[in-house]
Amino acid sequence: MILAIESSCDDSSVALLKGHRLIGLKQSGQEEHQRFGGVVPELASRAHQEWLSLMIKDLIHDTSTSWSDVQAIAYTQGPGLMGSLMVGSAVAKGLALTLDIPLIGVNHLHGHLVSHFVEHEPEGIFPMLSLTVSGGHTHLVWMESWLEGSMLCETLDDAAGEAFDKCAKMLGLPYPGGPVLDRLAREGNPGAYAWPLPQLGNEAYSFSGLKTSVLYYLAKQKPDLEDRQDSALRDLCASIQSTVVEVLMRPVVHHAGLRKPRSLGLAGGVAANSLLRSRFLALGEHLGCQVHIPPMSWCTDNAAMIAASARILLEHGKISGEAMGQKPLPRWPLMEYLGELSVLNLGLQGGS
Ligand code: KG4
Ligand code: ZN
């Protein structure tokens, strides 16, 4: 049984995973960031400090788990906000030391990648073409197995979620703007505005051009927009959303056609986007391959995916560095992490 802690950004989350059964999961979003229009790192770490240990106490109590049943502590070692990571790391180290059980540092991006596989690992998923899209990351990877892969396409500037949030903010929508923009887009015309698409081929994403175009357009048109508010706002949302999704999908369609994966994966907060989900499902049907998209609640940051990533490490006898000496890593590229995994020697008895 693995107890996992996620605290990379502004979501505090703890989970208990026994093999492939999620015994319990507690989540606590931090609403105090809303009035600042973005995550305030100092407030995020303070909230983790306040909530994490209480959540762990409740998790153990509510699932009637005995501490002696917990066999390993997993936590998000990076990437993320330094202060937030430090709080999760301190709690995890303290627990592992006191309970005298293994400590497993998990890469948050690998957590997202496996977030659809917390409770089941279907046969025949590899090679998998997997897109991770969140507020801080946007990349398309080719996974040969759970722990081996290569980077196909990465963002040069903003992440897709950041593009959604920044455009939504310019439109006067509340933070985080991605879900609100998605909702308004459903009643808008995606063809009402033509935003420029970056001409970067299929090896790089970019979203800063879109952000600038929306900014310049609004600076000129805002009074006009205020007059025609509702429908113009919905059209703007629909056209921005369809542009972001088009930019995301082009390399996916290209590499899927070229490499013929056995499955497609979509993960991260932006995987909750309705248009992106439907484009992925349609592509999977067209190619005749499996499509793995986590349920909505597991798209955003959660400890269940951190527990699943730790289980995969244990199953493959791999670990990232000497446990108690681990440092939080605010910047920790996925491929660097996979390349540096070393053979595990945790002294664990039997399976979980
Ligand atoms: O993975 P996540 O919870 O946190 C990070 O690790 O960044 O992703 C949060 C991001 C935010 O930018 C949020 O606006 C975006 O995911 N998001 C969406 C939707 N739901 C969440 N973006 C577009 N459409 C959505 N439905
Ligand atoms: Zn995330």
Side-chain angles (χ1 to χ4, degrees):
M1 190 188 290
I2 300 170
L3 189 155
I5 299 169
E6 156 63 29
S7 73
S8 63
C9 191
D10 60 334
D11 291 298
S12 312
S13 178
V14 296
L16 269 174
L17 185 70
K18 185 173 187 181
H20 287 80
R21 196 157 61 88
L22 187 65
I23 311 254
L25 172 66
K26 296 218 175 268
Q27 300 265 79
S28 160
Q30 303 176 1
E31 273 157 26
E32 53 267 49
H33 302 282
Q34 258 171 16
R35 66 194 168 98
F36 297 102
V39 176
V40 182
E42 175 72 17
L43 291 183
S45 7
R46 288 180 190 214
H48 289 308
Q49 153 68 30
E50 189 178 342
W51 288 109
L52 277 178
S53 28
L54 284 173
M55 290 166 76
I56 293 172
K57 195 170 160 225
D58 286 352
L59 178 72
I60 294 289
H61 176 266
D62 297 353
T63 56
S64 309
T65 301
S66 153
W67 279 112
S68 57
D69 294 335
V70 178
Q71 291 172 292
I73 305 292
Y75 75 103
T76 303
Q77 192 185 344
L81 300 172
M82 187 50 152
S84 294
L85 293 170
M86 277 169 65
V87 177
S89 151
V91 173
K93 285 188 178 183
L95 279 174
L97 265 178
T98 314
L99 297 169
D100 193 22
I101 55 176
L103 175 71
I104 304 165
V106 168
N107 181 297
H108 180 82
L109 300 171
H110 192 258
H112 273 304
L113 194 82
V114 302
S115 54
H116 189 244
F117 308 103
V118 175
E119 296 199 283
H120 68 302
E121 287 176 25
E123 290 292 305
I125 36 182
F126 298 110
M128 171 169 70
L129 182 65
S130 180
L131 178 69
T132 298
V133 263
S134 71
H137 304 274
T138 299
H139 57 225
L140 180 66
V141 296
W142 180 253
M143 295 302 291
E144 302 278 358
S145 70
W146 292 115
L147 298 172
E148 290 163 303
S150 50
M151 182 62 66
L152 296 180
C153 190
E154 245 178 318
T155 183
L156 298 177
D157 39 56
D158 295 348
E162 205 178 340
F164 275 128
D165 293 344
K166 285 182 176 163
C167 290
K169 191 173 176 178
M170 290 185 236
L171 295 173
L173 304 177
Y175 176 85
V180 189
L181 192 143
D182 183 358
R183 211 172 48 245
L184 290 169
R186 281 173 216 171
E187 290 158 32
N189 171 12
Y193 300 86
W195 304 109
L197 291 170
Q199 304 299 321
L200 289 170
N202 297 300
E203 275 72 46
Y205 287 124
S206 170
F207 297 97
S208 63
L210 170 67
K211 186 181 65 185
T212 311
S213 305
V214 173
L215 180 72
Y216 284 153
Y217 176 80
L218 290 178
K220 266 200 278 167
Q221 303 293 326
K222 210 158 198 172
D224 194 23
L225 184 68
E226 272 157 15
D227 287 346
R228 297 179 293 138
Q229 215 180 26
D230 271 10
S231 70
L233 180 65
R234 283 164 214 276
D235 288 350
L236 278 164
C237 289
S239 62
I240 291 168
Q241 175 175 268
S242 83
T243 306
V244 172
V245 171
E246 181 60 27
V247 173
L248 288 171
M249 286 307 292
R250 280 186 178 182
V252 178
V253 173
H254 169 82
H255 289 288
L258 202 70
R259 294 165 173 260
K260 311 271 183 277
R262 287 177 84 185
S263 73
L264 299 176
L266 176 62
V270 183
N273 183 265
S274 52
L275 181 64
L276 186 59
R277 289 172 92 91
S278 65
R279 289 286 302 273
F280 250 75
L281 291 170
L283 179 64
E285 201 171 309
H286 173 69
L287 297 172
C289 65
Q290 302 174 23
V291 179
H292 296 290
I293 309 178
M296 293 285 201
S297 55
W298 290 2
C299 287
T300 44
D301 294 344
N302 66 83
M305 70 187 198
I306 302 305
S309 174
R311 179 190 67 219
I312 290 168
L313 286 175
L314 289 173
E315 281 169 355
H316 291 78
K318 292 284 178 75
I319 194 163
S320 62
E322 198 281 311
M324 282 299 160
Q326 283 169 358
K327 287 185 281 197
L329 299 170
R331 201 191 149 273
W332 202 15
L334 178 63
M335 291 307 148
E336 214 168 89
Y337 160 74
L338 293 179
E340 286 171 0
L341 287 173
S342 51
V343 175
L344 170 86
N345 184 9
L346 293 177
L348 265 191
Q349 299 293 313
S352 51

